[in-house]
Structure formats: C-alpha cells, structure tokens
Amino acid sequence: MSGGQDGYGRRLLAEFALDPGFTHLNQGSFGALPNEVAAAEAGWRRRIEGNPTRFLAFELPGQMRRTAGEIAAFLGGSAGDWALVENATAGANAVIAALALRPGEKLLATSHVYNAVRNTLRHHAARAGAEYVELPVPVPYPGDEALLEQIGAALDGRVRIAVFDHVSSHPATILPVRRLVELCHGRGVPVLIDGAHAPGLLALDVPALGADWYVGNLHKWAFAPRGTAALYVAEAWRASLHPPGISHGYGQGFPLEFDWTGTRDFSGWLAAPEGIGFWRRAGGEHLMDRNRALARTAAEFLAAEWRTELAAPAQNLAAMATIRLPWPGEAGIDQARALFHRLVEEQRIVAPVFSLAGALWLRISAQIYNEADDYQRLAEAIRRLVRAA
C-alpha cells in the first residue's frame, strides 16, 4: 500500500491538534477538531464572556436558530425541524422518555444498538412494565435482506417503537434504514434512527428517509466541537416531545424548549457551522467518497494480511470498517480492553478493539489526515502483539 498521493494524508495533521507521534485511526469515536473550528469556538466563548447577560438574554436565541438553519442546509429540512442536543444519546433519551408506554408493549432494537441507547430502552421499558426486545444480528453481517426478514417477523403488533442504527458503532455497518422505516411504518410502528455516525460520513437528506425521529452527532465526521448533535422530529411527534431536562423553555414547543435548558456553555453549538464549513472546504462529498474508498481498501488489505474477515460486506461500509483480529487467546471484553491499551501505549496506534461473537475485532476509520501507510503500520503492529501473546 502507498499513501498521501491524493492531496490528503498525514500532512494535514497540521490542521488539527492531534499528536503526530501517534497514528490516529479512530475518528469514529470522538472525532478530531480542526484548529480553525477550535478557534471559532474560542471566539464565541470570548464573545459570550464579554457580556454574558446581554449575549445569553438577547443574542443567543437567534444564534441557536442560525445554527439549526445551517444544520438543516447540511442534513435536510428546515431549521424548525431540528433541535440542538449534546449527543445522540441525549436525543434518543428525549424520544424514548416521551413515549407513554403501557405494560406489555415492546421496544425493539437489534444487537447493533449502541450500548447507551440499549440502556435507555431497558430503563424505560422496566419503568413501564413494557418489554425490551433485542434481535441478535450475526457478525459478520448477513446482509440487508436477512435483516429485513428478521425485523418483519418481529413486528407482532405489540411493538411501540423500533430503534435502528444508521451506521452501527462496533460492527461499523450501514443498515438499510429507508427500507426499515418503510417496513415498520407498514405495520404501524414508528422508528427512531440513531444516526450518531452519519452526518459528514454519508450523504443525507434526513426528512426523505421517512423516520419519525433521527439523531446525529456533529463532532464525529462533521468536524464540529464535541457536545454538539442534532435531533430531527417529524411534525406529528413534536407536541409530545420535551428535552430530558425540563427548564424555562417548557411550553414553547419544539425545538425552542431544547435551545434553553439552563445555563451552560453554548459555544460548541455556535461553532458547529464552522465545522460544517470545514467539511465542505475539505471536499464535502468528494472527501466522503475518498474516505470510504480508503477505508474499504485498508480493511480488505488488513483482512488479507491477517487472514481473517470483515464484519460487513464492502457495500455496507462507509469510512469505517471492522476486521477480525488473528488473536490466539481468550477474546472477552477484558482482553479487548487490554489489547486496545497496548496498541495505543506500546504501538502508538489509536484504533479501538471490541469483543464480538466470541472473537476480538478492530475498527478502523479513514479521515482527511489518514493515508494508506497508516494501515500498513497497523498490520505490522498487530502482528507484533500477536507474536508476543
């Protein structure tokens, strides 16, 4: 493999505060903030501190709606379709908490569900005497048709809500969300899509997906500060939806109740349009296509080098991919954490390790600052760790 020949690559680490002594292959977890977006965030913070009362009382409402308008231009719809939330988990909590669940009803998800959302579903099901149902999806992913058949068989008339990832976190698999929404709506079941990874990773027109609710993080692939996410709500559900923290905005309706839930640092949301602007200037959809191609090529290379397999077919991958590790020993959660730590601290490579389906798997990301040689270093590092096991 060779890299850095497409105008992107390690030279662009200078655009970030990332430590160049590490190989960073984990954009998908916590993102990486461009220096110019960090400067914009700091500028908003200085502006707020120059006159906190004046800014928070008079300027903030309009500025928050300005951000919502930029998000709508990026993800579809209008500003009034979008509320600003801290992260995808907060958005999912708001949606699930708003359901007036009854005993015997079901909350449906798959084993691809993000653990924080899983816990939210379990919590609210238990409080209401409802049932949380999690359908096991094999790893490697068996394909869209098998998933749709499995979901269809589970829609038995008691399902109150179905929750699906757009791009699952650990297996890094794109799920057929439009078809899942159509299937569920055909049985009268509303759908929440957890699009935590999707903004900036996939080309999106969220309203066109037809989901009742959609929540996505902006800090992962859209270069926004951490603690910035957006929640889309179809009009039929807005009157019943409130933020997890009820505050002074109560009664103002969606999305204004979400804009003010108390005094906090608003600078990340106000700088989020700068992150979207950086994404566009870096190539926008061209960058997405480049990152997707790099991740697929790297994943196939690693699977061949390690003589293992991918967690999903190439057509279900974006700029992330998960590859089974050639690990000779036990493969539980403790072993995954220990190997992840050794990979970071001993090999200076940042790529998360998971325990899935009785094996250890590693997830890679491909972002503007990555190039093919990064994955060659990863292949060699894993071989060294396996030999030492």
Side-chain angles (χ1 to χ4, degrees), residues 271-297:
E274 299 297 330
I276 295 170
F278 182 93
W279 177 86
R280 291 194 176 106
R281 291 189 296 277
E285 293 196 10
H286 172 72
L287 175 63
M288 289 195 304
D289 292 342
R290 177 265 181 187
N291 289 343
R292 184 173 192 163
L294 177 58
R296 287 182 175 185
T297 300

Side-chain angles (χ1 to χ4, degrees), residues 242-248 250 257 261:
H242 307 282
I246 301 297
S247 188
H248 297 291
Y250 184 70
E257 287 188 29
T261 60

Side-chain angles (χ1 to χ4, degrees), residues 151-212:
I151 297 299
L155 298 173
D156 60 3
R158 293 171 52 203
V159 177
R160 180 64 187 283
I161 186 174
V163 181
F164 304 112
D165 288 47
H166 199 160
V167 183
S168 60
S169 179
H170 291 181
T173 305
I174 302 172
L175 299 184
V177 293
R178 188 192 300 269
R179 296 178 67 190
L180 287 166
V181 169
E182 291 174 353
L183 175 62
C184 291
H185 281 182
R187 309 285 184 86
V189 176
V191 179
L192 165 63
I193 299 298
D194 180 356
H197 289 275
L201 182 69
L202 303 175
L204 286 175
D205 181 352
V206 168
L209 295 175
D212 301 274

Side-chain angles (χ1 to χ4, degrees), residues 85-93 114 117 194-197 215-217 219 228-230:
V85 293
E86 290 85 352
N87 47 53
T89 299
N93 267 268
Y114 189 59
V117 177
D194 180 356
H197 289 275
V215 63
N217 289 323
H219 73 266
T228 58

